[in-house]
Amino acid sequence: MISKLERANAATPAEPPVTQAEPAVLASEPRMERPSWRRHLAFTNIGVVYVWIAIIVVFSLWAPDTFPTWATVKSVLNQNAIAGLIALALVVPLSARVFDLSVGSAMGLCNVIVAWLLINKGVAVVPAIVLTVAAGLAIGIVNALVVVGARIDSFIATLASGSLMAAAISLISNDQPIIGPALGGSFGKIATSDVAGIALPVFLMLLVAVVLWFVQGYTVVGRRIYATGFNEGGARLAGIRTNRLQFASLIVSGVVAGIAGVLLASQVSSGSPDIGPPYLLDAFAAAFLGATQFGGRFNAWGTVMAVLLLGTGKTGLVLVGAEPWAQSMFSGVVLLAALALTNLERTLEARTWVRERRGRRSQAQTAQA
Amino acid sequence: MLGSNDEPRAALRVRGLSKTFPGVQAVREVDLDVAVGTVHALLGHNGCGKSTLIKTLAGVHAPDPGAQAWIDDEVLQLGHPEEAERKGLRFVHQELGIVPELGAVDNVGFVVGFERDRFGRINWRRQAEVTAELLASFGFHMDPRRPLAEATPPERTAVAIVRAVAGWQKGRGVVVLDEPTASLPAHEVDELFRLIRNIRDTGTAVILVSHRLDEVMSIADHATVMREGRVVWDGPTAEMTTAAFVNLIANTEGDEWRDEPPNLPQHPAPADRNVAIEARDVVGRYLRGVDVRVRAGEVVGLAGLLGSGREELPYILAGAQTVGVTGTFTIDGETQAQLSIDRSRELGVALVPADRAREGVIGDFTTRENVSLAGLPQMATNGFVRPGGERGFARRWLDAVSADPNAAERRITTLSGGNQQKAVLARWLSVSPRVLLLSEPTAGVDVGARAVIYEELRRRADEGLAILVASSDVEDLLAVCDRVVVLRDGTVVKELERHDMTKPAIVGAMEGAL
């Protein structure tokens, strides 16, 4: 793709010629005058971090014996790694403005498939994992064919394919958890082997986050995916193959969902028919909350932060012995509060700017007088 | 009001209005007096603050504290859209806000209200009569039930304006028209001007936001010129010339601009230069068998009314419109019957689209990202983009098209229309295309930026680029083209070389007055 473009254009980026043009008659647009560290630490940029710190402080005061411990840290990380993976899987299609509402069901299906292969079919560990990830890939391709190939709106198309996956889950598992010794042993070690108590899925989540951060921030493909998501028509006219990118983004989410399904089976030692779908809402919440951070795009680190923020709160609530409904309420309140505060901060920022302007002007006037 | 009888009564008075956004004070301490029964032009290039001023008056934005406004000597609370509407300040935006699938009956009814019988049912017959009468009272005779999509552009604009001033026949209130003529071809503007004069004569004040100075000179009684958020001139248009306005708006010395756009130095492309792009027998939605060829180093203009195929041809050549399109296309010596966006790009064709906001820029991207979008693959090594390299690239290219390189890290939508267009132009120039297609390159672009764009195009052509400019603004074509192809009803009706390119000749051919 690139080589063809290069044929059309100069092999190296064209350099603008030295202009003889007179300076722009347009007045230069006024610039934002703020030191960069203040911008980076601004609430609009990393509000989730501040909320996270606040939550840690509150629970540390509330449950000083149980909450501020290494055990809590491990538990938050280990219990949210798979949720983090699913949320990161969503970030890719969302960046290209494709909704993958089937991602929870896809993980659930892969969870059941791997357990079924290991126990009912007696497949060895490695082939079972490979086949399951391939199933995730196939799910991604089916979604992509429906959404990109048949041009059916992704929101409704993946809702429908998620329903088909739910049917497949029932078919394979007979709505009973698939359990057996083959899920323990070497397969069970996958999600439970750890370094200093931090389990493998956590490292995998961080690895995916690093890759995603790099691709979205520093590669041509990443930039083009954002362009596709922000303005598909404009990106197409700019020569970007938006269809391909949207197709690929759904394949990525399918494959990551497959991997997450395997990890889940290893972690809970079962293939459970109803374990996948609940992950969907939290993953969306994290991806959208993450998108308000670090510059207002769907991104890896914002999403990881958001997952950990929600996970910390839930663990804290368990430790202080809160009622079960408190967890769902917590997620909802945090999401709404974070989004509202982000807006509020923008308004305040504008006001501060006005005040600074006024201050400077009146200073100038005093100096003149 | 004693002693003020010699002064015309103010329909709208504004004192000390400022509006600050994060990072930009868009409007600074503006005072404005609009007299009853006048057409008051609001001038200035994009980014001068006039749109913000209008939006603040409309209540879309809340002004900074300290601003005051009165309508017909009644205090107007700024920042409340319903308040503006109730006190008699109404707006017709460029997009008109009409539903094209529905007729004038519905479109007027949505705003003015519907005639109902005592059971609450809409009396459509009565409603149609009322609508037709209302339009007729302003000189427009049209079937109120026919969908507006089938009406002429001035008729659509008229419906939007008439419904805004409905009920003001006794002459009150202020109606703001935001570039009402921007999408109209020249000969249709007159119809609209008659309407505006009718409204003015009832005593309603009309605020006209426009980029077309010739129009302002012909219709406005009074003008206010803004620059960098401030009012820099305010007075009767009779005291001014077009050239003087240009100087005020662009803040340039008078020697650059005359009443006519500048005829840049001619470098006619020699007839033996390679044909960069040739299209034969192109048939599309509007086009019915058109031949066009552009040589390297040549700027060819494409003139024509809306629906003549003028707006369609650049998209066909860029491969962006393929459904129902036939023809033979020879680009750089390679002939094919079917183009696609990817094929055209491979062959070195670049398109600056007509609708900047929807197709030209990626609104959520920074200016840097917009500029580098097309050139990224060549800039990258193994798909990896070095941030420093990209920043430098964007700054150099912004500089090359006389845009402010310091705007590189700002979201592109915070830039004026002119600077956005320069960024899009820079994006395509940076990949060294063979053929550059532009549709409406100066729509919503201020005078200063226009001059820069014209000059830039001329310079690239001299370096060997083949350029096709499709524009509804004949001034564009006169300013920059070597040759103008005039389309009417999907066919080429005339080709004008440099020496017979005049505004009357082009407009005459467009309208069929041959």
Side-chain angles (χ1 to χ4, degrees):
Chain A
M1 179 162 75
I2 289 166
S3 67
K4 276 191 228 152
L5 282 172
E6 277 173 352
R7 215 184 111 265
N9 307 310
T12 51
E15 283 304 309
V18 181
T19 42
Q20 304 87 20
E22 53 271 38
V25 284
L26 270 179
S28 66
E29 321 238 354
R31 287 169 69 192
M32 188 95 162
E33 295 161 48
R34 282 182 75 186
S36 68
W37 61 268
R38 273 188 59 191
R39 243 193 350 259
H40 287 304
L41 295 180
F43 194 91
T44 37
N45 202 40
I46 52 163
V48 164
V49 175
Y50 293 132
V51 175
W52 194 16
I53 291 171
I55 284 170
I56 290 170
V57 169
V58 167
F59 281 117
S60 298
L61 295 175
W62 195 346
D65 301 327
T66 48
F67 187 81
T69 61
W70 179 236
T72 307
V73 174
K74 281 191 294 192
S75 140
V76 168
L77 285 172
N78 294 344
Q79 283 177 19
N80 290 287
I82 290 170
L85 268 178
I86 285 296
L88 289 170
L90 268 182
V91 166
V92 181
L94 280 175
S95 299
R97 187 159 293 182
V98 175
F99 285 85
D100 186 356
L101 295 178
S102 72
V103 75
S105 305
M107 180 178 72
L109 178 56
C110 291
N111 169 256
V112 171
I113 286 175
V114 75
W116 177 72
L117 286 172
L118 286 166
I119 295 182
N120 298 33
K121 293 285 149 189
V123 179
V125 171
V126 174
I129 292 172
V130 171
L131 284 173
T132 307
V133 175
L137 178 76
I139 288 169
I141 291 174
V142 170
N143 274 336
L145 284 174
V146 176
V147 172
V148 182
R151 287 274 117 198
I152 297 172
D153 184 66
S154 62
F155 207 89
I156 201 72
T158 54
L159 203 58
S161 69
S163 181
L164 294 179
M165 288 171 218
I169 290 172
S170 292
L171 201 67
I172 295 172
S173 68
N174 283 325
D175 280 331
Q176 296 297 319
I178 302 175
I179 39 178
L183 286 171
S186 61
F187 182 77
K189 287 224 172 64
I190 298 170
T192 49
S193 52
D194 63 281
V195 176
I198 311 288
L200 184 75
V202 178
F203 296 104
L204 206 58
M205 174 188 79
L206 292 177
L207 178 72
V208 171
V210 168
V211 170
L212 192 57
W213 162 75
F214 183 78
V215 169
Q216 294 202 306
Y218 299 96
T219 68
V220 179
V221 171
R223 184 69 58 77
R224 288 178 162 179
I225 288 177
Y226 277 135
T228 303
F230 286 144
N231 182 350
E232 193 182 339
R236 188 72 199 100
L237 280 179
I240 294 169
R241 291 170 165 123
T242 50
N243 278 355
R244 276 188 201 185
L245 293 173
Q246 292 184 331
F247 200 100
S249 74
L250 281 168
I251 289 180
V252 169
S253 67
V255 169
V256 176
I259 295 170
V262 172
L263 291 174
L264 198 58
S266 168
Q267 193 177 54
V268 301
S269 297
S270 96
S272 311
D274 50 4
I275 200 167
Y279 277 84
L280 180 71
L281 271 181
D282 278 353
F284 261 94
F288 273 87
L289 188 51
T292 65
Q293 309 292 301
F294 304 118
R297 296 176 186 180
F298 289 104
N299 68 83
W301 296 119
T303 305
V304 170
M305 293 290 184
V307 167
L308 294 180
L309 161 74
L310 295 173
T312 306
K314 286 182 179 178
T315 306
L317 285 171
V318 171
L319 290 176
V320 298
E323 301 279 330
W325 51 260
Q327 293 200 11
S328 293
M329 198 181 80
F330 171 80
S331 299
V333 167
V334 165
L335 194 58
L336 288 175
L339 297 175
L341 279 172
T342 306
N343 274 343
L344 178 70
E345 222 273 345
R346 277 186 193 145
T347 317
L348 289 177
E349 191 182 7
R351 292 211 184 125
T352 315
W353 199 86
V354 177
R355 226 172 289 130
E356 279 171 11
R357 272 303 280 235
R358 289 231 183 84
R360 220 174 301 139
R361 205 181 313 142
S362 62
Q363 271 174 14
Q365 280 161 359
T366 335
Q368 274 179 356
Chain B
M1 288 291 109
L2 277 174
S4 63
N5 288 340
D6 47 336
E7 284 274 305
R9 193 163 58 87
L12 171 69
R13 240 179 331 140
V14 176
R15 289 292 174 269
L17 190 147
S18 299
K19 173 66 197 171
T20 308
F21 295 110
V24 189
Q25 192 173 25
V27 175
R28 307 169 189 204
E29 300 287 328
V30 162
D31 296 343
L32 186 68
D33 286 277
V34 179
V36 162
T38 58
V39 177
H40 192 119
L42 191 55
L43 302 172
H45 58 56
N46 278 12
C48 75
K50 62 182 187 318
S51 315
T52 310
L53 174 62
I54 295 297
K55 283 187 181 151
T56 311
L57 290 175
V60 177
H61 301 314
D64 297 349
Q68 287 176 291
W70 298 264
I71 289 179
D72 290 329
D73 293 325
E74 260 189 86
V75 173
L76 170 73
Q77 294 292 332
L78 291 166
H80 306 281
E82 326 77 48
E83 161 96 358
E85 164 77 30
R86 200 174 54 242
K87 290 274 166 68
L89 179 61
R90 296 181 187 165
F91 298 82
V92 179
H93 295 287
Q94 213 178 322
E95 308 81 42
L96 303 180
I98 56 168
V99 183
E101 289 78 15
L102 298 175
V105 182
D106 301 273
N107 276 293
V108 170
F110 292 144
V111 172
V112 176
F114 288 97
E115 294 280 335
R116 290 169 197 274
D117 65 15
R118 61 203 161 92
F119 302 114
R121 284 182 313 186
I122 295 171
N123 182 341
W124 288 108
R125 205 168 46 81
R126 180 83 196 103
Q127 180 73 18
E129 283 166 18
V130 169
T131 308
E133 275 167 29
L134 181 66
L135 285 163
S137 70
F138 287 100
F140 281 82
H141 300 276
M142 53 193 282
D143 176 1
R145 292 178 190 270
R146 199 167 49 124
L148 288 181
E150 295 169 18
T152 65
E155 282 174 344
R156 284 199 284 269
T157 312
V159 168
I161 295 177
V162 165
R163 71 179 183 184
V165 301
W168 286 356
Q169 278 82 350
K170 291 196 189 90
R172 55 175 290 257
V174 182
V175 63
V176 181
L177 309 180
D178 188 3
E179 294 204 52
T181 59
S183 58
L184 295 186
H187 78 288
E188 289 174 342
V189 166
D190 291 337
E191 277 184 61
L192 208 60
F193 279 10
R194 255 188 293 123
L195 171 66
I196 292 175
R197 291 199 180 94
N198 281 342
I199 292 171
R200 176 192 65 190
D201 293 343
T202 64
T204 296
V206 180
I207 297 180
L208 179 71
V209 180
S210 179
H211 279 302
R212 296 189 182 175
L213 290 175
D214 48 342
E215 291 175 7
V216 168
M217 292 305 285
S218 75
I219 195 168
D221 308 297
H222 199 98
T224 299
V225 182
M226 290 183 69
R227 195 169 66 225
E228 289 164 39
R230 291 197 174 80
V231 172
V232 292
W233 190 85
D234 183 272
T237 45
E239 291 176 5
M240 291 292 278
T241 63
T242 310
F245 269 131
V246 172
N247 289 341
L248 274 170
I249 291 165
N251 195 22
T252 52
E253 292 306 313
D255 51 19
E256 285 265 353
W257 281 83
R258 288 147 282 168
D259 276 334
E260 290 293 303
N263 273 334
L264 292 151
Q266 292 184 25
H267 303 270
D272 58 336
R273 290 291 284 274
N274 290 336
V275 176
I277 186 166
E278 177 165 20
R280 294 189 155 276
D281 205 25
V282 182
V283 176
R285 210 168 117 216
Y286 297 105
L287 294 172
R288 293 183 297 162
V290 164
D291 295 353
V292 171
R293 77 159 60 167
V294 188
R295 292 177 183 283
E298 193 182 25
V299 184
V300 174
L302 208 54
L305 304 178
L306 214 64
S308 65
R310 178 252 308 150
E311 66 278 33
E312 187 181 22
L313 189 56
Y315 285 78
I316 291 177
L317 295 179
Q321 191 186 320
T322 50
V323 178
V325 172
T326 58
T328 316
F329 307 94
T330 310
I331 302 167
D332 190 34
E334 288 195 45
T335 303
Q336 40 229 304
Q338 177 93 54
L339 289 173
S340 67
I341 290 179
D342 302 315
R343 189 75 190 121
S344 288
R345 282 281 298 115
E346 278 166 33
L347 294 168
V349 179
L351 169 71
V352 175
D355 189 337
R356 190 167 48 244
R358 294 227 322 261
E359 305 174 325
V361 302
I362 311 289
D364 288 294
F365 269 5
T366 60
T367 311
R368 161 175 56 83
E369 290 169 315
N370 269 289
V371 170
S372 68
L373 193 62
L376 272 183
Q378 291 101 285
M379 193 191 315
T381 40
N382 300 324
F384 168 66
V385 183
R386 275 180 309 109
E390 190 198 351
R391 267 198 298 277
F393 180 87
R395 290 183 70 96
R396 282 197 301 282
W397 273 103
L398 284 170
D399 192 48
V401 295
S402 307
D404 180 7
N406 291 326
E409 295 307 318
R410 285 178 40 191
R411 193 183 279 242
I412 191 151
T413 45
T414 65
L415 267 57
S416 67
N419 279 346
Q420 290 186 26
Q421 190 72 332
K422 287 179 193 173
V424 176
L425 190 61
R427 174 200 297 168
W428 290 118
L429 291 174
S430 77
V431 294
S432 319
R434 263 191 208 90
V435 181
L436 182 63
L437 311 166
L438 302 101
S439 189
E440 303 295 344
T442 62
V445 170
D446 55 84
V447 222
R450 270 176 199 224
V452 171
I453 289 171
Y454 293 155
E455 213 170 299
E456 198 54 37
L457 292 179
R458 218 36 265 190
R459 179 162 44 235
R460 303 293 163 170
D462 293 345
E463 289 167 12
L465 180 61
I467 300 177
L468 182 72
V469 181
S471 180
S472 59
D473 191 341
V474 178
E475 312 279 327
D476 279 355
L477 306 175
L478 291 171
V480 77
C481 295
D482 296 310
R483 190 155 60 84
V484 171
V485 175
V486 186
L487 297 176
R488 192 174 70 239
D489 298 332
T491 52
V492 175
V493 289
K494 194 147 200 173
E495 279 201 52
L496 295 154
E497 296 287 335
R498 186 94 229 176
H499 46 89
D500 12 79
M501 266 168 50
T502 60
K503 196 169 179 178
I506 295 174
V507 173
M510 279 163 52
E511 297 179 10
L514 287 171

